Amino acid sequence: MAKVIAKYVCTSCGYQASKPLGRCPNCQAWNSFEEEAPSAVAPKARGGAYGGITGGKLTPLSGVGRREEPRTPSGIPELDRVLGGGLVAGGVTLIGGEPGIGKSTLLLQVADRVARAGGTVLYVAGEESLEQIRLRADRLGVTAEIQLTRDTRAEHIAGLMQEHRPALCIVDSIQTVTVEGEGAPGGVAQVRDGTSMLTRAAKETGTATVLVGHVTKDGTVAGPKVMEHIVDTTVFLETVGAFRLLRSVKNRFGQAGELGVFEMRGEGLIAVENPSAAFLAERPVGVPGSVVAATVDGQRPMLLEVQALASKTPYPNARRVVVGLDPRRVDVVLAVLERRLDLTLGGLDIYVNLAGGLRVLDPGLDLAVALAVYSAVVGRALPQNVAVFGEVGLAGEVRSTQATLRRAEEAGRAGYTRLVVPPGVEGHAGVKSVEEAVGMVWKSAGL
């Protein structure tokens, strides 16, 4: 006789347990466990591991043909770059982000451009009325004919995709989609089975499908993690200062880690074509402690400003405050400055900041941090045309980092003619140590 196993699932993150828990050990949510329908586990068959059932057909890799997945341009080049070239026919994309960050605005802009290019667009409005969507469309200047529906039953959405075979289907949001006989909307089983059903319909009809997902308080997509495994692409929209960053964390049809920069305006989300200039627009000139660093966030090279401030501490123990960077790497750089350059930091509070609100964990920012702190302590500003990148080792050596050529090219495009870089960067004289970098910046400038 089959054994019945009860299972309790966290409605916030999908964590499973054999009994209800007061607090989820994964996402720390309280009273979030619900019981799923019990499943029957059949006992092991006698006379064979799998009851005499034989396996399926095997296909060698060399016998599998090559097929390039057709893509539909979204009409927004910055979004197409994040997706790896555009929306893939039959591909399913999950987009997450905080409420009000601009997910629906961006997707309505995409729907308008795809429809203008001649594609049929199906927009499933699960959280707003059709009149609200019309008001947003008027504000954004959307004039294309988009097919709208308020029907959030997964079976009916799949039926509409089979009947009309649209080029693009937008579901806003997946937490409002219901599957018959699976409990209340937004539950773990509803979200999981709804995603599976819509993904299957997308593959059968060749419809590029975008699902909007709610996020939890820690910024992850709400619902079972299996949902993120089902979809082909997962992207997140986040706020950084006055900008919106679109970041891909999973992409079966392109490079994960791509980054797109947008600015929210009255006419919608507008792509920022030159993020380096945007992030350096308010950089002070001739101020000690300010260094331009060439970094790579995901796969995108950008120029950012690393700031440092040193002040005499009134406390017994000096403070170390780091914003936007890895505090442990900054501590290593400070130790190297004290040991290798004999820079006295014991009685100073050191503040290090990555201007613009970004958080970048890039070892290539080490050298910029070292020069910024040195500049702040000695009170001498770097020349205006200097850009820096490189990893700093414990011996004070400057090591190469990933994408050195792309960093150097981005700095050159922005007009920075003097680069302080590790050895081996084509066309540039590299520095082997932090001490040599300090000498190259100030001694060669006559300071």
Side-chain angles (χ1 to χ4, degrees):
M1 183 178 178
K3 181 182 178 181
V4 177
I5 299 179
K7 182 170 61 176
Y8 294 85
V9 182
C10 174
T11 57
S12 295
C13 67
Y15 182 85
Q16 299 179 4
S18 59
K19 60 181 181 180
L21 303 176
R23 188 178 188 182
C24 177
N26 185 45
C27 68
Q28 310 303 319
W30 288 94
N31 302 321
S32 60
F33 279 83
E34 292 184 358
E35 184 178 6
E36 273 199 340
S39 58
V41 179
K44 185 175 179 180
R46 297 180 179 178
Y50 299 101
I53 301 176
T54 59
K57 180 183 177 181
L58 297 177
T59 302
L61 178 61
S62 58
V64 179
R66 296 179 177 88
R67 184 184 67 182
E68 188 69 24
E69 297 292 343
R71 293 181 180 268
T72 301
S74 68
I76 303 177
E78 194 78 354
L79 174 60
D80 288 340
R81 195 178 57 79
V82 173
L83 296 177
L87 298 163
V88 177
V92 180
T93 300
L94 175 65
I95 177 170
E98 298 176 355
I101 199 171
K103 301 184 296 297
S104 301
T105 297
L106 177 63
L107 293 180
L108 194 56
Q109 293 177 255
V110 173
D112 178 52
R113 286 160 173 77
V114 172
R116 285 185 184 183
T120 304
V121 178
L122 173 62
Y123 194 107
V124 181
E127 299 185 349
E128 298 177 302
S129 66
L130 302 185
E131 290 76 16
Q132 286 176 307
I133 296 177
R134 177 59 188 269
L135 289 175
R136 181 186 290 117
D138 292 341
R139 177 173 59 85
L140 300 177
V142 174
T143 58
E145 199 64 51
I146 301 172
Q147 305 300 321
L148 307 176
T149 180
R150 288 269 305 159
D151 193 343
T152 57
R153 289 170 289 183
E155 298 86 354
H156 291 200
I157 299 174
L160 290 173
M161 294 169 66
Q162 292 283 358
E163 180 181 355
H164 299 281
R165 296 193 175 259
L168 173 63
C169 177
I170 298 173
V171 181
D172 188 7
S173 66
I174 186 60
Q175 274 80 11
T176 63
V177 173
T178 60
V179 179
E180 186 177 358
E182 292 290 350
V188 172
Q190 288 276 9
V191 172
R192 180 192 60 212
D193 295 344
T195 303
S196 298
M197 186 175 296
L198 296 180
T199 300
R200 186 165 56 251
K203 304 298 182 185
E204 294 174 353
T205 61
T207 299
T209 304
V210 181
L211 310 177
V212 177
H214 293 168
V215 296
T216 61
K217 59 184 178 181
D218 60 352
T220 60
V221 175
K225 295 298 291 185
V226 69
M227 178 177 65
E228 297 184 43
H229 293 294
I230 293 173
V231 301
D232 301 304
T233 306
T234 303
V235 297
F236 283 94
L237 192 62
E238 57 190 71
T239 301
V240 173
F243 302 100
R244 303 289 194 272
L245 301 187
L246 186 67
R247 193 188 306 273
S248 66
V249 297
K250 171 190 175 183
N251 194 347
R252 289 174 179 163
F253 304 111
Q255 179 70 50
E258 287 288 354
L259 182 71
V261 183
F262 296 85
E263 184 178 1
M264 178 63 81
R265 300 179 185 172
E267 59 271 27
L269 283 174
I270 306 301
V272 178
E273 297 181 358
N274 190 351
S276 297
F279 284 114
L280 294 178
E282 300 180 1
R283 180 186 177 232
V285 178
V287 177
S290 175
V291 176
V292 174
T295 184
V296 174
D297 191 347
Q299 301 296 322
R300 182 164 198 165
M302 288 189 299
L303 299 182
L304 301 175
E305 180 190 2
V306 176
Q307 298 177 328
L309 178 65
S311 63
K312 187 176 179 179
T313 181
Y315 306 104
N317 296 320
R319 300 179 65 188
R320 302 289 184 260
V321 180
V322 180
V323 179
L325 299 164
D326 187 352
R328 292 173 296 183
R329 297 200 68 88
V330 173
D331 286 340
V332 169
V333 172
L334 296 181
V336 170
L337 290 176
E338 283 194 295
R339 182 68 175 175
R340 306 300 178 188
L341 273 72
D342 295 326
L343 192 66
T344 303
L345 303 177
L348 299 175
D349 289 336
I350 303 296
Y351 303 87
V352 181
N353 175 46
L354 188 62
L358 278 172
R359 176 169 174 79
V360 181
L361 304 180
D362 177 18
L365 293 173
D366 289 353
L367 186 56
V369 171
L371 293 180
V373 172
Y374 187 91
S375 171
V377 172
V378 301
R380 293 186 293 181
L382 274 76
Q384 297 183 21
N385 60 345
V386 173
V388 179
F389 67 87
E391 181 182 354
V392 174
L394 293 180
E397 78 277 16
V398 177
R399 297 170 174 264
S400 61
T401 60
Q402 61 166 335
T404 56
L405 185 58
R406 279 186 290 165
R407 296 174 195 248
E409 291 175 348
E410 180 68 17
R413 280 194 295 267
Y416 290 88
T417 56
R418 295 179 57 196
L419 298 185
V420 183
V421 299
V425 180
E426 184 178 353
H428 301 279
V431 294
K432 297 181 180 179
S433 66
V434 177
E435 186 176 6
E436 186 178 345
V438 170
M440 179 178 179
V441 171
W442 281 285
K443 293 180 181 179
S444 60
L447 300 176

